[in-house]
Amino acid sequence: MTQNDFNNVCSLPVFAQLAKHDIDKLLLGSASKTLRHRDVLYRMGETAETFALVTKGALKLVKLLPSGENVIMSFAAPGDFIAILIMSRQANAYPITAVAMGASSVLQIPRQTYLSEWTTRPLVLERVNQLIFSRMTEIQEQKALGKASLAQKVASQIVSLIERFGDENGTILLMPLTRQEIADSVGASVESVIRIMSQWTQQGILRTSEQHLEIIRMDLIAEIIRGAEKA
Amino acid sequence: MTQNDFNNVCSLPVFAQLAKHDIDKLLLGSASKTLRHRDVLYRMGETAETFALVTKGALKLVKLLPSGENVIMSFAAPGDFIAILIMSRQANAYPITAVAMGASSVLQIPRQTYLSEWTTRPLVLERVNQLIFSRMTEIQEQKALGKASLAQKVASQIVSLIERFGDENGTILLMPLTRQEIADSVGASVESVIRIMSQWTQQGILRTSEQHLEIIRMDLIAEIIRGAEKA
DNA sequence: CGCTCGGTTGATGCACATCAAAGGCTGTGG
DNA sequence: CCACAGCCTTTGATGTGCATCAACCGAGCG
């Protein structure tokens, strides 16, 4: 890991206000890994030797169903952990597949380091809990949308992604995201997602060029989420 | 809290192998509370002064949507925590409403005790993480059922409830559960749930008497969950 | 004895999934 | 440089699972 990487890592909320030598210990034996678009970091079912801390880019956490469908469980942003919760269980397998969306990097940290360094520092554990809390909250919000219309789900998913992976204005999504992926994350078919989104494009609510997605009329999107469907 | 209560609490996995005086400290200022069917423990929006540890019975964790619908986020069994994740946030409100299902009891523990005693004990924090991990796993499994048929969702929900709140044979659910509640937890309408379940009753797969629900043909239910719909 | 609550049943309609076909774009290999 | 395969997107036609609305019943309960 370069000095630059290290500084980057230190600025993440988990490590805020920790002494350099503490951070060194927490990262004992860890390796920085650079991922290209669609590279697989962890595959569901593999034995979990390390967990990961995202430092750049974005990853999707996917479950492959017996039926052959993909379900995107959630997205990981810089500062998020992947698979940290299974570190304290013996010889466990990754419960999901983690795939990079666009150029990304992560720090892979050995289970042993987690067991010896992370679990002995209350402050760190507390911070990890905070992150898990956010993830829980996010999933619960999605579940609360259970009976909403597909348009509401899609709008809400896009907005929450832009909140985490957007530009400074909060209007452009800085990560490649296909309609298939949106469908997989809200549990719908691609075609339905496309129909909804192209309608929005026609209405000038949304723009999608190259690999970027931009919301033009955030106010209208907000209305859709609130359930004021019709145009 | 009676001596009896105390012994009960000590046998919960969170406190396994802890010294009595440690447990005493962890429970500083806590109060045991007995709940009757449908009593409300916490109401969504109230300021969170305490979190709770379930010691007996069952509770449902509900969100009330602006539309007036209820969504059951999850169920809490003995040994589960309620609202522990928001304890480390300042002046936060409960994110859900917690309602007892049948006679239950909980231990209410002050935020202050959490902050001073719980967050300073790595072992305890680790155990809390374990519990949160189970909750996450449960929610994720539900999300993975996203595109499955309603019958699959209902069957799967019932089975997972019996695993946590069932008798020793794993066939009878020892807690009052209405069809409305099943509907609220899988995101469906009561009528649809009723149609599915009465069909099962006619086919001798299921029996529901008084407040109890019994699975007669677990093999058939398992098949339904696997997606082998037709009878 | 009217009340509410849980369960049940039927009729109707709609929001989606599914199936099918096609065009653009990218990368890959001959 | 062209042909081909794969991925992403799009559009249309068709079907269906489930919500919704509307009744009704029995049981417990004040």
Side-chain angles (χ1 to χ4, degrees), chain A:
Chain A
M1 182 161 60
T2 69
Q3 185 59 36
N4 194 9
D5 282 345
F6 188 79
N7 289 336
N8 242 324
V9 169
C10 292
S11 66
L12 293 175
V14 216
F15 295 137
Q17 294 161 20
L18 288 183
K20 291 259 177 207
H21 72 269
D22 267 331
I23 299 182
D24 270 338
K25 281 196 179 165
L26 288 169
L27 298 182
L28 205 68
S30 68
S32 178
K33 186 164 184 175
T34 304
L35 302 164
R36 284 160 314 162
H37 188 37
R38 261 175 269 180
D39 279 353
V40 173
L41 173 62
Y42 295 134
R43 201 174 293 277
M44 181 174 155
E46 285 173 356
T47 312
E49 312 287 4
T50 67
F51 69 106
L53 173 57
V54 181
T55 53
K56 207 162 64 72
L59 289 93
K60 56 178 174 181
L61 310 184
V62 188
K63 252 188 178 19
L64 178 61
L65 300 186
S67 64
E69 294 176 299
N70 281 319
V71 179
I72 297 185
M73 301 306 310
S74 75
F75 297 90
D80 286 340
F81 291 104
I82 297 176
I84 192 171
L85 275 175
I86 58 168
M87 283 299 109
S88 45
R89 327 205 121 199
Q90 310 282 358
N92 226 313
Y94 293 113
I96 41 86
T97 296
V99 183
M101 304 180 70
S104 309
S105 17
V106 301
L107 217 49
Q108 286 185 283
I109 306 168
R111 142 182 275 128
Q112 196 46 54
T113 302
Y114 177 79
L115 294 177
S116 63
E117 306 299 329
W118 292 60
T119 62
T120 50
R121 290 178 166 77
L123 180 59
V124 174
L125 283 177
E126 249 313 273
R127 300 240 175 105
V128 170
N129 271 353
Q130 292 301 309
L131 282 165
I132 293 168
F133 175 66
S134 324
R135 172 91 57 97
M136 288 275 284
T137 308
E138 190 197 334
I139 295 183
Q140 294 203 345
E141 270 164 19
Q142 279 182 31
K143 177 156 187 186
L145 285 177
K147 285 173 84 172
S149 77
L150 185 50
Q152 280 172 277
K153 292 187 207 167
V154 171
S156 147
Q157 177 66 275
I158 291 178
V159 167
S160 98
L161 282 176
I162 288 192
E163 276 166 12
R164 300 173 62 204
F165 305 95
D167 66 341
E168 62 289 348
N169 293 326
T171 56
I172 300 181
L173 185 62
L174 303 172
M175 121 191 158
L177 180 72
T178 68
R179 281 131 222 261
Q180 180 69 60
E181 284 164 336
I182 297 177
D184 288 343
S185 71
V186 301
S189 68
V190 212
E191 295 95 326
S192 298
V193 171
I194 285 175
R195 270 183 253 269
I196 288 170
M197 289 183 64
S198 32
Q199 201 183 327
W200 290 346
T201 306
Q202 280 169 29
Q203 297 171 352
I205 298 182
L206 203 78
R207 178 163 39 198
T208 141
S209 54
E210 318 111 55
Q211 301 225 302
H212 293 320
L213 191 158
E214 176 180 4
I215 295 186
I216 303 173
R217 297 290 307 272
M218 187 57 89
D219 53 333
L220 292 182
I221 286 288
E223 256 179 42
I224 289 166
I225 293 179
R226 246 182 275 110
E229 285 279 349
K230 275 280 61 69

Side-chain angles (χ1 to χ4, degrees), chain B residues 37-38 58 60 75 100-104 173-178 181 210-213:
Chain B
H37 189 35
R38 261 173 270 179
K60 58 177 175 182
F75 297 89
M101 304 181 70
S104 309
L173 184 61
L174 302 172
M175 119 190 160
L177 180 72
T178 68
E181 284 164 335
E210 320 111 54
Q211 301 225 301
H212 294 321
L213 192 159

Side-chain angles (χ1 to χ4, degrees), chain B residues 15-220:
Chain B
F15 296 137
Q17 295 161 19
L18 288 183
K20 290 260 178 209
H21 73 268
D22 268 331
I23 299 181
D24 269 339
K25 281 196 179 166
L26 289 169
L27 298 182
L28 205 67
S30 68
S32 177
K33 186 163 184 175
T34 304
L35 302 164
R36 285 159 315 163
H37 189 35
R38 261 173 270 179
D39 279 353
V40 173
L41 173 63
Y42 296 134
R43 200 174 293 277
M44 182 174 154
E46 285 174 356
T47 312
E49 311 288 4
T50 68
F51 69 105
L53 173 57
V54 181
T55 53
K56 207 162 65 73
L59 288 93
K60 58 177 175 182
L61 310 184
V62 188
K63 252 189 174 27
L64 178 61
L65 301 185
S67 63
E69 295 175 298
N70 281 318
V71 179
I72 297 185
M73 303 305 311
S74 76
F75 297 89
D80 286 340
F81 290 103
I82 298 176
I84 193 170
L85 276 175
I86 59 167
M87 283 300 108
S88 45
R89 326 204 122 200
Q90 310 282 357
N92 227 313
Y94 293 112
I96 42 85
T97 296
V99 183
M101 304 181 70
S104 309
S105 16
V106 302
L107 217 48
Q108 285 184 285
I109 306 168
R111 145 184 273 127
Q112 195 46 55
T113 302
Y114 177 78
L115 294 177
S116 63
E117 306 298 329
W118 292 61
T119 61
T120 49
R121 290 178 166 76
L123 180 59
V124 174
L125 283 177
E126 249 312 276
R127 299 240 175 106
V128 170
N129 270 354
Q130 293 301 308
L131 283 164
I132 293 169
F133 175 66
S134 323
R135 174 92 57 95
M136 287 277 282
T137 308
E138 191 198 332
I139 296 182
Q140 295 202 345
E141 270 165 18
Q142 280 182 31
K143 177 155 190 187
L145 285 177
K147 284 173 87 172
S149 77
L150 185 49
Q152 279 173 278
K153 291 186 205 167
V154 171
S156 148
Q157 177 67 275
I158 291 179
V159 168
S160 97
L161 282 176
I162 288 192
E163 275 166 13
R164 299 174 61 203
F165 304 96
D167 66 342
E168 60 291 345
N169 293 326
T171 55
I172 301 181
L173 184 61
L174 302 172
M175 119 190 160
L177 180 72
T178 68
R179 280 135 222 257
Q180 180 69 60
E181 284 164 335
I182 296 176
D184 288 344
S185 71
V186 301
S189 69
V190 213
E191 296 95 326
S192 298
V193 171
I194 285 176
R195 271 183 252 267
I196 288 170
M197 288 182 64
S198 33
Q199 201 182 327
W200 290 344
T201 306
Q202 280 169 30
Q203 297 171 350
I205 299 182
L206 202 79
R207 179 162 39 197
T208 141
S209 55
E210 320 111 54
Q211 301 225 301
H212 294 321
L213 192 159
E214 176 180 3
I215 294 186
I216 303 174
R217 296 290 305 273
M218 186 59 86
D219 53 334
L220 292 182

